[in-house]
Amino acid sequence: MSDSSPTRVLVTGAGGPAGIAVLRSLARRDDVVLLAADMDRYASGLYLVDAGARHLVRPGLSEEFVDHLVGLCERERVDVLFSTVDVELPRLAAERKRLAAVGTTLAAPSLETLEVCLDKYALAQRCTGVVRTPRTALLGETDPDSWDYPVIVKPRRGAGSRGVHLVEDAAALRALGSDEDILVQANLPGDEYSVDTLADADGTVVAAVPRSRLRVDSGVSVAGSTVADPELEETARQVAAAVGLVGVANVQLRRDAEGRPALLEVNPRFPGAMPLTVAAGVDMPSLALDLALERPLPASVPFRELAVVRYLEDVFVPLADVVSEEDAR
Amino acid sequence: MTTALGELDLLLTDHHVHSTWSDDAVSAPMENLVAARDTGLASIRMVDHVRTTTTWVPGFLAEISALPRVEGLEVLTGVEAKILDASGRLDVPDDLVVGAGGVDRVLIADHQFPGPDGPWSPRRTLEELAAGLPAEDALSILVTATVRAMERAGRGQLAHLFSLLPKIGLHESELLDEHVAAIADAAVRTGTTVEVNEKWRCPGPRVVLQLAAAGVTLVGSTDSHEATTVGRYSWVAEAASATRLVGTR
Ligand SMILES: [Zn+2]
Ligand SMILES: [Zn+2]
């Protein structure tokens, strides 16, 4: 594209906090035209962009999802695509070439990085010996009597807090059976941190911003603060290098019994709490856009310590702009 | 449903309105119809995107023909397809019926550059230009492909003509008068309408005036994907007032 024409950026998952965070960040750039997409026509982030820039997409798991999104990117002349939906990411990363063929750059880590991050067992194996990791095993392959209780049990694949719970003793663990898709992990006693991490095209970490979660409501951080702690930052850097990160990921760490940070998991996408990181001085969506456009990034971007509280906000829309359900097919 | 456009002011037309039949639009045909009525349009063309593999056109047409009639509002249909290559081949299903019993028009779209060997991405096109393809030749390939597409379409409508140019680092001012004349001649000869497109703000005033002067039928187009934008013009309004100056309405 010529330097004068604005960059057209499509953000999917416009109904989620991560999608809204990316839209809000990029809306501040005057060289960007924003488009928003979601599978739900009432997704609030759709209403952050011009009416002509709102699009529906098929569910990320549906067969035709990629075909339809590639078609949308082609027709809308999308320069850069940000997907903020977990299930979309690996499918899109696998079709990066098809997107490139219609002129669209996918702003997401490589498929290889996504795959290792989305398989928590593979991630633990990859990072053991690189950073501290809690003891991790597959449910079917471990002796319940060999653990200190309670232990954490969670799905091997998938994101968020779904299916994560504490198991109190060996009998309860044994009762869970031998599902190969369930992980058993030592339950670390310390505080938990999310480190928003951005690596440039060479894999050099430009910023690693630890956030503490002061209160969690339905898995969403409602209050938190950035934490200047070189050990947390360094741990996230090492994890980013181990998974070959290019772009943005959210590294989850927890302190062990000695107070040292250990790796829990990596969410290879924008977190919903990204606005705090942006406010603290590191505008990761904007930097990720520059990365996708092959523009040079600063060697490092500092952040300051800052706290956030959140509240629900009403968005008022003229009645005519929200059509009743029976009018919709 | 008739296709007679007559001499409607292009601001009273919106001949490029997408619905949920397209993969990505937000509003259903009924919502678009209501919006067209409420903005006082005299003519709306309901359009959705097709490719060679599309099978839903009969269902789309059935839904449009089942819409309630609105007094004073003409409802037309179309499918939008990209020009695939320099020969003007269109990305439409083989069994597409245009005219009686089928869609009223095929919207001819420059979604990609129609290269000799198939669609070129913007990056590929920029690379070819950087590697020595003269801009004038690139424009000639595009114009020739567009003319051939008009001949192939039967009843066509040029969708967002030249919207591709900024994406490949070119500008309408680089078009020769012969380029515009070739489009105008073919449009008149084949009965192809040309839209003045609000969303992509194209074609620009020079091309619009030259087409109007040649007797090409111009229609308004929002390329709307949401009912709230149907028939709403600001940029096109200026183009429309310019065409009135040359007496074409
Ligand atoms: Zn189009
Ligand atoms: Zn269109």
mmCIF file with all atom_site columns, all heavy atoms in Angstrom, chain A residues 54 56 68 74-77 79 101 321 329, chain B residues 23-24 49 63 82 110 121 163 167 199 226 228:
data_model
loop_
_atom_site.group_PDB
_atom_site.id
_atom_site.type_symbol
_atom_site.label_atom_id
_atom_site.label_alt_id
_atom_site.label_comp_id
_atom_site.label_asym_id
_atom_site.label_entity_id
_atom_site.label_seq_id
_atom_site.pdbx_PDB_ins_code
_atom_site.Cartn_x
_atom_site.Cartn_y
_atom_site.Cartn_z
_atom_site.occupancy
_atom_site.B_iso_or_equiv
_atom_site.pdbx_formal_charge
_atom_site.auth_seq_id
_atom_site.auth_comp_id
_atom_site.auth_asym_id
_atom_site.auth_atom_id
_atom_site.pdbx_PDB_model_num
ATOM 1   N N   . ARG A 1 54  ? -18.897 -2.890  10.217  1.00 0.00 ? 54  ARG A N   1
ATOM 2   C CA  . ARG A 1 54  ? -19.295 -3.982  11.113  1.00 0.00 ? 54  ARG A CA  1
ATOM 3   C C   . ARG A 1 54  ? -19.589 -5.221  10.280  1.00 0.00 ? 54  ARG A C   1
ATOM 4   O O   . ARG A 1 54  ? -20.345 -5.156  9.310   1.00 0.00 ? 54  ARG A O   1
ATOM 5   C CB  . ARG A 1 54  ? -20.548 -3.585  11.891  1.00 0.00 ? 54  ARG A CB  1
ATOM 6   C CG  . ARG A 1 54  ? -20.330 -2.376  12.763  1.00 0.00 ? 54  ARG A CG  1
ATOM 7   C CD  . ARG A 1 54  ? -21.658 -1.821  13.287  1.00 0.00 ? 54  ARG A CD  1
ATOM 8   N NE  . ARG A 1 54  ? -21.418 -0.513  13.897  1.00 0.00 ? 54  ARG A NE  1
ATOM 9   C CZ  . ARG A 1 54  ? -22.368 0.387   14.127  1.00 0.00 ? 54  ARG A CZ  1
ATOM 10  N NH1 . ARG A 1 54  ? -23.622 0.112   13.834  1.00 0.00 ? 54  ARG A NH1 1
ATOM 11  N NH2 . ARG A 1 54  ? -22.054 1.552   14.663  1.00 0.00 ? 54  ARG A NH2 1
ATOM 12  N N   . LEU A 1 56  ? -20.219 -9.672  10.288  1.00 0.00 ? 56  LEU A N   1
ATOM 13  C CA  . LEU A 1 56  ? -20.429 -10.928 11.010  1.00 0.00 ? 56  LEU A CA  1
ATOM 14  C C   . LEU A 1 56  ? -19.503 -11.984 10.428  1.00 0.00 ? 56  LEU A C   1
ATOM 15  O O   . LEU A 1 56  ? -19.254 -12.006 9.224   1.00 0.00 ? 56  LEU A O   1
ATOM 16  C CB  . LEU A 1 56  ? -21.882 -11.393 10.862  1.00 0.00 ? 56  LEU A CB  1
ATOM 17  C CG  . LEU A 1 56  ? -22.942 -10.527 11.536  1.00 0.00 ? 56  LEU A CG  1
ATOM 18  C CD1 . LEU A 1 56  ? -24.290 -11.230 11.475  1.00 0.00 ? 56  LEU A CD1 1
ATOM 19  C CD2 . LEU A 1 56  ? -22.572 -10.233 12.981  1.00 0.00 ? 56  LEU A CD2 1
ATOM 20  N N   . HIS A 1 68  ? -14.709 -18.012 4.679   1.00 0.00 ? 68  HIS A N   1
ATOM 21  C CA  . HIS A 1 68  ? -15.499 -16.791 4.762   1.00 0.00 ? 68  HIS A CA  1
ATOM 22  C C   . HIS A 1 68  ? -14.652 -15.616 5.224   1.00 0.00 ? 68  HIS A C   1
ATOM 23  O O   . HIS A 1 68  ? -14.790 -14.505 4.713   1.00 0.00 ? 68  HIS A O   1
ATOM 24  C CB  . HIS A 1 68  ? -16.703 -17.011 5.676   1.00 0.00 ? 68  HIS A CB  1
ATOM 25  C CG  . HIS A 1 68  ? -17.786 -17.790 5.001   1.00 0.00 ? 68  HIS A CG  1
ATOM 26  N ND1 . HIS A 1 68  ? -19.044 -17.286 4.811   1.00 0.00 ? 68  HIS A ND1 1
ATOM 27  C CD2 . HIS A 1 68  ? -17.776 -19.020 4.436   1.00 0.00 ? 68  HIS A CD2 1
ATOM 28  C CE1 . HIS A 1 68  ? -19.770 -18.180 4.158   1.00 0.00 ? 68  HIS A CE1 1
ATOM 29  N NE2 . HIS A 1 68  ? -19.026 -19.248 3.934   1.00 0.00 ? 68  HIS A NE2 1
ATOM 30  N N   . GLU A 1 74  ? -10.461 -10.157 1.697   1.00 0.00 ? 74  GLU A N   1
ATOM 31  C CA  . GLU A 1 74  ? -10.212 -9.769  0.307   1.00 0.00 ? 74  GLU A CA  1
ATOM 32  C C   . GLU A 1 74  ? -11.098 -8.599  -0.100  1.00 0.00 ? 74  GLU A C   1
ATOM 33  O O   . GLU A 1 74  ? -10.619 -7.578  -0.594  1.00 0.00 ? 74  GLU A O   1
ATOM 34  C CB  . GLU A 1 74  ? -10.467 -10.966 -0.622  1.00 0.00 ? 74  GLU A CB  1
ATOM 35  C CG  . GLU A 1 74  ? -10.295 -10.623 -2.091  1.00 0.00 ? 74  GLU A CG  1
ATOM 36  C CD  . GLU A 1 74  ? -10.700 -11.764 -3.005  1.00 0.00 ? 74  GLU A CD  1
ATOM 37  O OE1 . GLU A 1 74  ? -11.862 -12.186 -2.968  1.00 0.00 ? 74  GLU A OE1 1
ATOM 38  O OE2 . GLU A 1 74  ? -9.837  -12.234 -3.760  1.00 0.00 ? 74  GLU A OE2 1
ATOM 39  N N   . ARG A 1 75  ? -12.401 -8.744  0.138   1.00 0.00 ? 75  ARG A N   1
ATOM 40  C CA  . ARG A 1 75  ? -13.339 -7.719  -0.318  1.00 0.00 ? 75  ARG A CA  1
ATOM 41  C C   . ARG A 1 75  ? -13.159 -6.407  0.419   1.00 0.00 ? 75  ARG A C   1
ATOM 42  O O   . ARG A 1 75  ? -13.307 -5.332  -0.156  1.00 0.00 ? 75  ARG A O   1
ATOM 43  C CB  . ARG A 1 75  ? -14.778 -8.216  -0.120  1.00 0.00 ? 75  ARG A CB  1
ATOM 44  C CG  . ARG A 1 75  ? -15.151 -9.391  -0.973  1.00 0.00 ? 75  ARG A CG  1
ATOM 45  C CD  . ARG A 1 75  ? -16.629 -9.682  -0.841  1.00 0.00 ? 75  ARG A CD  1
ATOM 46  N NE  . ARG A 1 75  ? -16.992 -10.032 0.525   1.00 0.00 ? 75  ARG A NE  1
ATOM 47  C CZ  . ARG A 1 75  ? -17.017 -11.271 0.993   1.00 0.00 ? 75  ARG A CZ  1
ATOM 48  N NH1 . ARG A 1 75  ? -16.696 -12.279 0.227   1.00 0.00 ? 75  ARG A NH1 1
ATOM 49  N NH2 . ARG A 1 75  ? -17.362 -11.508 2.233   1.00 0.00 ? 75  ARG A NH2 1
ATOM 50  N N   . GLU A 1 76  ? -12.838 -6.515  1.701   1.00 0.00 ? 76  GLU A N   1
ATOM 51  C CA  . GLU A 1 76  ? -12.706 -5.294  2.503   1.00 0.00 ? 76  GLU A CA  1
ATOM 52  C C   . GLU A 1 76  ? -11.288 -4.743  2.471   1.00 0.00 ? 76  GLU A C   1
ATOM 53  O O   . GLU A 1 76  ? -10.980 -3.791  3.170   1.00 0.00 ? 76  GLU A O   1
ATOM 54  C CB  . GLU A 1 76  ? -13.144 -5.573  3.943   1.00 0.00 ? 76  GLU A CB  1
ATOM 55  C CG  . GLU A 1 76  ? -14.640 -5.838  4.073   1.00 0.00 ? 76  GLU A CG  1
ATOM 56  C CD  . GLU A 1 76  ? -15.482 -4.644  3.652   1.00 0.00 ? 76  GLU A CD  1
ATOM 57  O OE1 . GLU A 1 76  ? -15.097 -3.506  3.951   1.00 0.00 ? 76  GLU A OE1 1
ATOM 58  O OE2 . GLU A 1 76  ? -16.516 -4.856  2.998   1.00 0.00 ? 76  GLU A OE2 1
ATOM 59  N N   . ARG A 1 77  ? -10.436 -5.370  1.674   1.00 0.00 ? 77  ARG A N   1
ATOM 60  C CA  . ARG A 1 77  ? -9.056  -4.899  1.509   1.00 0.00 ? 77  ARG A CA  1
ATOM 61  C C   . ARG A 1 77  ? -8.377  -4.718  2.864   1.00 0.00 ? 77  ARG A C   1
ATOM 62  O O   . ARG A 1 77  ? -7.795  -3.667  3.168   1.00 0.00 ? 77  ARG A O   1
ATOM 63  C CB  . ARG A 1 77  ? -9.032  -3.576  0.744   1.00 0.00 ? 77  ARG A CB  1
ATOM 64  C CG  . ARG A 1 77  ? -9.802  -3.616  -0.568  1.00 0.00 ? 77  ARG A CG  1
ATOM 65  C CD  . ARG A 1 77  ? -9.414  -2.487  -1.461  1.00 0.00 ? 77  ARG A CD  1
ATOM 66  N NE  . ARG A 1 77  ? -10.296 -2.306  -2.604  1.00 0.00 ? 77  ARG A NE  1
ATOM 67  C CZ  . ARG A 1 77  ? -10.403 -3.143  -3.620  1.00 0.00 ? 77  ARG A CZ  1
ATOM 68  N NH1 . ARG A 1 77  ? -9.695  -4.255  -3.638  1.00 0.00 ? 77  ARG A NH1 1
ATOM 69  N NH2 . ARG A 1 77  ? -11.220 -2.901  -4.612  1.00 0.00 ? 77  ARG A NH2 1
ATOM 70  N N   . ASP A 1 79  ? -5.679  -4.949  5.513   1.00 0.00 ? 79  ASP A N   1
ATOM 71  C CA  . ASP A 1 79  ? -4.217  -5.033  5.520   1.00 0.00 ? 79  ASP A CA  1
ATOM 72  C C   . ASP A 1 79  ? -3.725  -5.947  6.639   1.00 0.00 ? 79  ASP A C   1
ATOM 73  O O   . ASP A 1 79  ? -2.804  -6.726  6.444   1.00 0.00 ? 79  ASP A O   1
ATOM 74  C CB  . ASP A 1 79  ? -3.608  -3.639  5.703   1.00 0.00 ? 79  ASP A CB  1
ATOM 75  C CG  . ASP A 1 79  ? -3.938  -2.715  4.543   1.00 0.00 ? 79  ASP A CG  1
ATOM 76  O OD1 . ASP A 1 79  ? -3.596  -3.085  3.402   1.00 0.00 ? 79  ASP A OD1 1
ATOM 77  O OD2 . ASP A 1 79  ? -4.538  -1.655  4.764   1.00 0.00 ? 79  ASP A OD2 1
ATOM 78  N N   . ALA A 1 101 ? -2.234  -14.065 0.366   1.00 0.00 ? 101 ALA A N   1
ATOM 79  C CA  . ALA A 1 101 ? -2.547  -14.037 -1.067  1.00 0.00 ? 101 ALA A CA  1
ATOM 80  C C   . ALA A 1 101 ? -3.645  -13.031 -1.405  1.00 0.00 ? 101 ALA A C   1
ATOM 81  O O   . ALA A 1 101 ? -3.764  -12.605 -2.544  1.00 0.00 ? 101 ALA A O   1
ATOM 82  C CB  . ALA A 1 101 ? -2.951  -15.430 -1.548  1.00 0.00 ? 101 ALA A CB  1
ATOM 83  N N   . ASP A 1 321 ? -31.024 1.537   15.475  1.00 0.00 ? 321 ASP A N   1
ATOM 84  C CA  . ASP A 1 321 ? -29.757 0.891   15.121  1.00 0.00 ? 321 ASP A CA  1
ATOM 85  C C   . ASP A 1 321 ? -29.661 -0.531  15.650  1.00 0.00 ? 321 ASP A C   1
ATOM 86  O O   . ASP A 1 321 ? -28.769 -1.277  15.284  1.00 0.00 ? 321 ASP A O   1
ATOM 87  C CB  . ASP A 1 321 ? -28.567 1.698   15.661  1.00 0.00 ? 321 ASP A CB  1
ATOM 88  C CG  . ASP A 1 321 ? -28.355 2.976   14.872  1.00 0.00 ? 321 ASP A CG  1
ATOM 89  O OD1 . ASP A 1 321 ? -29.209 3.267   14.011  1.00 0.00 ? 321 ASP A OD1 1
ATOM 90  O OD2 . ASP A 1 321 ? -27.357 3.653   15.112  1.00 0.00 ? 321 ASP A OD2 1
ATOM 91  N N   . ARG A 1 329 ? -32.869 -12.655 10.373  1.00 0.00 ? 329 ARG A N   1
ATOM 92  C CA  . ARG A 1 329 ? -33.094 -14.008 9.937   1.00 0.00 ? 329 ARG A CA  1
ATOM 93  C C   . ARG A 1 329 ? -32.394 -14.981 10.847  1.00 0.00 ? 329 ARG A C   1
ATOM 94  O O   . ARG A 1 329 ? -31.300 -14.739 11.274  1.00 0.00 ? 329 ARG A O   1
ATOM 95  C CB  . ARG A 1 329 ? -32.585 -14.188 8.518   1.00 0.00 ? 329 ARG A CB  1
ATOM 96  C CG  . ARG A 1 329 ? -33.689 -14.324 7.555   1.00 0.00 ? 329 ARG A CG  1
ATOM 97  C CD  . ARG A 1 329 ? -33.237 -14.441 6.108   1.00 0.00 ? 329 ARG A CD  1
ATOM 98  N NE  . ARG A 1 329 ? -31.806 -14.303 5.929   1.00 0.00 ? 329 ARG A NE  1
ATOM 99  C CZ  . ARG A 1 329 ? -31.036 -15.322 5.607   1.00 0.00 ? 329 ARG A CZ  1
ATOM 100 N NH1 . ARG A 1 329 ? -31.525 -16.512 5.471   1.00 0.00 ? 329 ARG A NH1 1
ATOM 101 N NH2 . ARG A 1 329 ? -29.749 -15.126 5.406   1.00 0.00 ? 329 ARG A NH2 1
ATOM 102 N N   . ASP B 2 23  ? -21.601 -13.465 3.399   1.00 0.00 ? 23  ASP B N   1
ATOM 103 C CA  . ASP B 2 23  ? -20.971 -14.087 4.549   1.00 0.00 ? 23  ASP B CA  1
ATOM 104 C C   . ASP B 2 23  ? -20.883 -13.158 5.743   1.00 0.00 ? 23  ASP B C   1
ATOM 105 O O   . ASP B 2 23  ? -20.813 -13.590 6.864   1.00 0.00 ? 23  ASP B O   1
ATOM 106 C CB  . ASP B 2 23  ? -19.575 -14.562 4.198   1.00 0.00 ? 23  ASP B CB  1
ATOM 107 C CG  . ASP B 2 23  ? -19.240 -14.431 2.745   1.00 0.00 ? 23  ASP B CG  1
ATOM 108 O OD1 . ASP B 2 23  ? -20.100 -14.010 1.962   1.00 0.00 ? 23  ASP B OD1 1
ATOM 109 O OD2 . ASP B 2 23  ? -18.144 -14.743 2.393   1.00 0.00 ? 23  ASP B OD2 1
ATOM 110 N N   . ASP B 2 24  ? -20.802 -11.863 5.510   1.00 0.00 ? 24  ASP B N   1
ATOM 111 C CA  . ASP B 2 24  ? -20.347 -10.996 6.584   1.00 0.00 ? 24  ASP B CA  1
ATOM 112 C C   . ASP B 2 24  ? -21.234 -9.811  6.904   1.00 0.00 ? 24  ASP B C   1
ATOM 113 O O   . ASP B 2 24  ? -20.903 -9.029  7.770   1.00 0.00 ? 24  ASP B O   1
ATOM 114 C CB  . ASP B 2 24  ? -18.938 -10.477 6.242   1.00 0.00 ? 24  ASP B CB  1
ATOM 115 C CG  . ASP B 2 24  ? -18.905 -9.797  4.891   1.00 0.00 ? 24  ASP B CG  1
ATOM 116 O OD1 . ASP B 2 24  ? -19.507 -8.729  4.782   1.00 0.00 ? 24  ASP B OD1 1
ATOM 117 O OD2 . ASP B 2 24  ? -18.301 -10.346 3.959   1.00 0.00 ? 24  ASP B OD2 1
ATOM 118 N N   . HIS B 2 49  ? -22.482 -11.498 -2.267  1.00 0.00 ? 49  HIS B N   1
ATOM 119 C CA  . HIS B 2 49  ? -21.221 -11.952 -2.863  1.00 0.00 ? 49  HIS B CA  1
ATOM 120 C C   . HIS B 2 49  ? -21.327 -13.392 -3.321  1.00 0.00 ? 49  HIS B C   1
ATOM 121 O O   . HIS B 2 49  ? -21.784 -14.251 -2.573  1.00 0.00 ? 49  HIS B O   1
ATOM 122 C CB  . HIS B 2 49  ? -20.090 -11.909 -1.836  1.00 0.00 ? 49  HIS B CB  1
ATOM 123 C CG  . HIS B 2 49  ? -19.806 -10.553 -1.315  1.00 0.00 ? 49  HIS B CG  1
ATOM 124 N ND1 . HIS B 2 49  ? -19.984 -10.224 0.014   1.00 0.00 ? 49  HIS B ND1 1
ATOM 125 C CD2 . HIS B 2 49  ? -19.352 -9.447  -1.926  1.00 0.00 ? 49  HIS B CD2 1
ATOM 126 C CE1 . HIS B 2 49  ? -19.648 -8.968  0.183   1.00 0.00 ? 49  HIS B CE1 1
ATOM 127 N NE2 . HIS B 2 49  ? -19.264 -8.463  -0.974  1.00 0.00 ? 49  HIS B NE2 1
ATOM 128 N N   . GLU B 2 63  ? -36.142 -15.245 -1.402  1.00 0.00 ? 63  GLU B N   1
ATOM 129 C CA  . GLU B 2 63  ? -36.397 -14.388 -0.246  1.00 0.00 ? 63  GLU B CA  1
ATOM 130 C C   . GLU B 2 63  ? -36.675 -12.947 -0.673  1.00 0.00 ? 63  GLU B C   1
ATOM 131 O O   . GLU B 2 63  ? -37.567 -12.286 -0.140  1.00 0.00 ? 63  GLU B O   1
ATOM 132 C CB  . GLU B 2 63  ? -35.224 -14.422 0.741   1.00 0.00 ? 63  GLU B CB  1
ATOM 133 C CG  . GLU B 2 63  ? -35.483 -13.477 1.916   1.00 0.00 ? 63  GLU B CG  1
ATOM 134 C CD  . GLU B 2 63  ? -34.592 -13.711 3.119   1.00 0.00 ? 63  GLU B CD  1
ATOM 135 O OE1 . GLU B 2 63  ? -34.055 -14.822 3.260   1.00 0.00 ? 63  GLU B OE1 1
ATOM 136 O OE2 . GLU B 2 63  ? -34.456 -12.763 3.920   1.00 0.00 ? 63  GLU B OE2 1
ATOM 137 N N   . LYS B 2 82  ? -15.889 -10.957 -8.264  1.00 0.00 ? 82  LYS B N   1
ATOM 138 C CA  . LYS B 2 82  ? -14.662 -10.285 -8.676  1.00 0.00 ? 82  LYS B CA  1
ATOM 139 C C   . LYS B 2 82  ? -14.239 -10.701 -10.084 1.00 0.00 ? 82  LYS B C   1
ATOM 140 O O   . LYS B 2 82  ? -14.594 -11.773 -10.566 1.00 0.00 ? 82  LYS B O   1
ATOM 141 C CB  . LYS B 2 82  ? -13.546 -10.544 -7.664  1.00 0.00 ? 82  LYS B CB  1
ATOM 142 C CG  . LYS B 2 82  ? -12.935 -11.921 -7.716  1.00 0.00 ? 82  LYS B CG  1
ATOM 143 C CD  . LYS B 2 82  ? -11.639 -11.921 -6.871  1.00 0.00 ? 82  LYS B CD  1
ATOM 144 C CE  . LYS B 2 82  ? -11.046 -13.299 -6.770  1.00 0.00 ? 82  LYS B CE  1
ATOM 145 N NZ  . LYS B 2 82  ? -11.132 -13.883 -5.433  1.00 0.00 ? 82  LYS B NZ  1
ATOM 146 N N   . ASP B 2 110 ? -13.533 -5.099  -8.549  1.00 0.00 ? 110 ASP B N   1
ATOM 147 C CA  . ASP B 2 110 ? -12.062 -5.130  -8.627  1.00 0.00 ? 110 ASP B CA  1
ATOM 148 C C   . ASP B 2 110 ? -11.470 -5.481  -7.262  1.00 0.00 ? 110 ASP B C   1
ATOM 149 O O   . ASP B 2 110 ? -10.673 -4.729  -6.718  1.00 0.00 ? 110 ASP B O   1
ATOM 150 C CB  . ASP B 2 110 ? -11.529 -3.782  -9.139  1.00 0.00 ? 110 ASP B CB  1
ATOM 151 C CG  . ASP B 2 110 ? -11.958 -2.598  -8.261  1.00 0.00 ? 110 ASP B CG  1
ATOM 152 O OD1 . ASP B 2 110 ? -12.842 -2.773  -7.393  1.00 0.00 ? 110 ASP B OD1 1
ATOM 153 O OD2 . ASP B 2 110 ? -11.398 -1.493  -8.439  1.00 0.00 ? 110 ASP B OD2 1
ATOM 154 N N   . SER B 2 121 ? -2.559  -10.390 -5.691  1.00 0.00 ? 121 SER B N   1
ATOM 155 C CA  . SER B 2 121 ? -2.737  -9.678  -4.428  1.00 0.00 ? 121 SER B CA  1
ATOM 156 C C   . SER B 2 121 ? -2.127  -8.291  -4.571  1.00 0.00 ? 121 SER B C   1
ATOM 157 O O   . SER B 2 121 ? -1.310  -8.050  -5.459  1.00 0.00 ? 121 SER B O   1
ATOM 158 C CB  . SER B 2 121 ? -2.046  -10.428 -3.297  1.00 0.00 ? 121 SER B CB  1
ATOM 159 O OG  . SER B 2 121 ? -0.643  -10.303 -3.432  1.00 0.00 ? 121 SER B OG  1
ATOM 160 N N   . SER B 2 163 ? -11.638 1.254   -7.057  1.00 0.00 ? 163 SER B N   1
ATOM 161 C CA  . SER B 2 163 ? -11.341 1.248   -5.612  1.00 0.00 ? 163 SER B CA  1
ATOM 162 C C   . SER B 2 163 ? -10.019 0.536   -5.338  1.00 0.00 ? 163 SER B C   1
ATOM 163 O O   . SER B 2 163 ? -9.402  0.726   -4.287  1.00 0.00 ? 163 SER B O   1
ATOM 164 C CB  . SER B 2 163 ? -12.461 0.545   -4.832  1.00 0.00 ? 163 SER B CB  1
ATOM 165 O OG  . SER B 2 163 ? -12.508 -0.834  -5.158  1.00 0.00 ? 163 SER B OG  1
ATOM 166 N N   . LYS B 2 167 ? -4.830  0.899   -3.224  1.00 0.00 ? 167 LYS B N   1
ATOM 167 C CA  . LYS B 2 167 ? -4.238  -0.279  -2.585  1.00 0.00 ? 167 LYS B CA  1
ATOM 168 C C   . LYS B 2 167 ? -2.980  -0.757  -3.336  1.00 0.00 ? 167 LYS B C   1
ATOM 169 O O   . LYS B 2 167 ? -2.127  -1.420  -2.763  1.00 0.00 ? 167 LYS B O   1
ATOM 170 C CB  . LYS B 2 167 ? -5.292  -1.388  -2.568  1.00 0.00 ? 167 LYS B CB  1
ATOM 171 C CG  . LYS B 2 167 ? -4.932  -2.610  -1.778  1.00 0.00 ? 167 LYS B CG  1
ATOM 172 C CD  . LYS B 2 167 ? -5.280  -2.446  -0.322  1.00 0.00 ? 167 LYS B CD  1
ATOM 173 C CE  . LYS B 2 167 ? -4.894  -3.703  0.443   1.00 0.00 ? 167 LYS B CE  1
ATOM 174 N NZ  . LYS B 2 167 ? -5.304  -3.657  1.828   1.00 0.00 ? 167 LYS B NZ  1
ATOM 175 N N   . LYS B 2 199 ? -18.856 4.109   0.027   1.00 0.00 ? 199 LYS B N   1
ATOM 176 C CA  . LYS B 2 199 ? -17.930 3.473   0.954   1.00 0.00 ? 199 LYS B CA  1
ATOM 177 C C   . LYS B 2 199 ? -16.477 3.655   0.524   1.00 0.00 ? 199 LYS B C   1
ATOM 178 O O   . LYS B 2 199 ? -15.617 3.957   1.345   1.00 0.00 ? 199 LYS B O   1
ATOM 179 C CB  . LYS B 2 199 ? -18.261 1.992   1.045   1.00 0.00 ? 199 LYS B CB  1
ATOM 180 C CG  . LYS B 2 199 ? -17.306 1.197   1.905   1.00 0.00 ? 199 LYS B CG  1
ATOM 181 C CD  . LYS B 2 199 ? -17.813 -0.223  2.040   1.00 0.00 ? 199 LYS B CD  1
ATOM 182 C CE  . LYS B 2 199 ? -16.819 -1.048  2.828   1.00 0.00 ? 199 LYS B CE  1
ATOM 183 N NZ  . LYS B 2 199 ? -17.352 -2.391  3.057   1.00 0.00 ? 199 LYS B NZ  1
ATOM 184 N N   . GLU B 2 226 ? -24.849 -2.930  6.610   1.00 0.00 ? 226 GLU B N   1
ATOM 185 C CA  . GLU B 2 226 ? -25.697 -2.747  7.784   1.00 0.00 ? 226 GLU B CA  1
ATOM 186 C C   . GLU B 2 226 ? -26.811 -1.792  7.417   1.00 0.00 ? 226 GLU B C   1
ATOM 187 O O   . GLU B 2 226 ? -26.578 -0.790  6.740   1.00 0.00 ? 226 GLU B O   1
ATOM 188 C CB  . GLU B 2 226 ? -24.872 -2.175  8.946   1.00 0.00 ? 226 GLU B CB  1
ATOM 189 C CG  . GLU B 2 226 ? -25.346 -2.710  10.269  1.00 0.00 ? 226 GLU B CG  1
ATOM 190 C CD  . GLU B 2 226 ? -25.123 -1.755  11.416  1.00 0.00 ? 226 GLU B CD  1
ATOM 191 O OE1 . GLU B 2 226 ? -25.177 -0.530  11.204  1.00 0.00 ? 226 GLU B OE1 1
ATOM 192 O OE2 . GLU B 2 226 ? -24.931 -2.251  12.538  1.00 0.00 ? 226 GLU B OE2 1
ATOM 193 N N   . THR B 2 228 ? -28.382 0.519   8.764   1.00 0.00 ? 228 THR B N   1
ATOM 194 C CA  . THR B 2 228 ? -28.330 1.946   9.124   1.00 0.00 ? 228 THR B CA  1
ATOM 195 C C   . THR B 2 228 ? -27.601 2.794   8.083   1.00 0.00 ? 228 THR B C   1
ATOM 196 O O   . THR B 2 228 ? -27.722 4.007   8.103   1.00 0.00 ? 228 THR B O   1
ATOM 197 C CB  . THR B 2 228 ? -27.642 2.166   10.484  1.00 0.00 ? 228 THR B CB  1
ATOM 198 O OG1 . THR B 2 228 ? -26.372 1.526   10.459  1.00 0.00 ? 228 THR B OG1 1
ATOM 199 C CG2 . THR B 2 228 ? -28.470 1.621   11.616  1.00 0.00 ? 228 THR B CG2 1
#
